[in-house]
Amino acid sequence: MFLFIVFALIAIVAGLGVILSRKPVYSALFLLLNFATLAAMYIMLQAQFLAAVQIIVYAGAIVVLFLFVVMLIGGGELNAVDRETSRQGDKANIASQRSSIQLGWPRLTALVLAVLLLAGVGYGVITGQLHQPTGTAAAFGQGSVEAVAATLYTDYLLPFEMTSVLLLVGMVGAVVLARNE
Amino acid sequence: MVPLTWYLVLAAALFAIGMFGVLARKNAVAVLMGVELMLNAVNINLLAFWRYTALGELVGHAFAVFVITVAAAEAAVGVALFIAVYRQRDTVNVEELDAMKG
């Protein structure tokens, strides 16, 4: 109960951070935090395999892709403002003050969320609530790799193969689109 | 154990946040991040319903795996699109990308 509240709180605040921070880099990092808390949520739902997939695919691939693009094409919503203020040398002090105020809140939010996350994980480790099977014995192990693979490769074999085709199409499309003519 | 409703409320909140991000942000990359938030909210719903109602069959799991796959493909193509657009027009601000008079 306590763990759910902590992780839900972090997830929602991180989600708000994603859409409210002006700089896309902060958005991407808040998105990473959101994905991590959702992985914890999956573990509490006893979907261990999906928790690992969540970390590998989302945190490992998608967020890195976002960060890569954000750093490649720069692109902040502040860019136009930044360019204007940097031209006026005498107002540089005011601009830097303002930007320090604007940069202040993601840092503060991140600190609060980090403390919350530490409290949540520490509570889970100390009380053993993170790795204790709550509910029936049959429930535990339902979300394991074995069970998920058995389902995916028998009942959902055709959709599974089709998603692999989708991934191939996506890859080819990405390469074609991003190719330098 | 946490009631099912709590998970649904959390998923609804995250979905609403993502929807707001999609509609309100001007940076196209941020819009894509909003889409990812929405997809994740759906995943929470799928897994919560699997855990609380249909534990025997792994339908929720299978669908969650497919959602994650589609999200990965979508992110890759979307990001490639943004790079192509940025090469042509030097911006990914969705309000300036009005070539189709939308």
Side-chain angles (χ1 to χ4, degrees), chain A residues 3 6 13 18 22 28 33 35 40-41 45 54 57 67-68 75-76 78 93 112 141 147 149 166 180:
Chain A
L3 278 182
V6 168
V13 175
V18 171
R22 310 281 305 264
L33 182 60
F35 290 163
M41 211 69 88
L45 283 169
Q54 171 89 3
V57 173
L67 277 175
F68 172 72
L78 283 178
N93 261 337
V112 172
L166 175 76
N180 210 342

Side-chain angles (χ1 to χ4, degrees), chain A residues 26 49-50 59 67 84 86 95 103-104 107 137 145 150-151 161 170:
Chain A
Y26 288 123
F49 172 65
L50 268 177
L67 277 175
E84 264 173 41
S86 66
L103 294 190
R107 219 168 275 178
V145 184
T151 312
E161 297 294 339

Side-chain angles (χ1 to χ4, degrees), chain A residues 43-158:
Chain A
I43 289 181
M44 280 193 289
L45 283 169
Q46 288 163 21
Q48 300 94 343
F49 172 65
L50 268 177
V53 167
Q54 171 89 3
I55 292 292
I56 293 170
V57 173
Y58 274 112
I62 294 184
V63 170
V64 171
L65 202 63
F66 279 147
L67 277 175
F68 172 72
V69 167
V70 164
M71 289 175 184
L72 185 70
I73 65 184
E77 281 157 28
L78 283 178
N79 255 5
V81 183
D82 279 349
R83 249 178 270 139
E84 264 173 41
T85 50
S86 66
R87 269 190 222 126
Q88 302 160 339
D90 53 331
K91 288 187 181 171
N93 261 337
I94 302 166
S96 72
Q97 269 180 358
R98 204 189 49 190
S99 73
S100 77
I101 292 168
Q102 281 169 346
L103 294 190
W105 79 262
R107 219 168 275 178
L108 195 67
T109 317
L111 189 68
V112 172
L113 291 184
V115 169
L116 260 179
L117 194 62
L118 205 63
V121 172
Y123 177 84
V125 167
I126 289 170
T127 62
Q129 210 173 318
L130 265 185
H131 39 81
Q132 172 198 20
T134 54
T136 59
F140 198 68
Q142 278 285 329
S144 65
V145 184
E146 191 184 352
V148 176
T151 312
L152 275 183
Y153 284 107
T154 54
D155 295 343
Y156 294 92
L157 185 59
L158 183 64

Side-chain angles (χ1 to χ4, degrees), chain B residues 64-85:
Chain B
V65 168
F66 294 142
V67 168
I68 289 177
T69 319
V70 171
E74 168 248 332
V77 173
V79 158
L81 260 178
F82 297 153
I83 290 179
V85 167

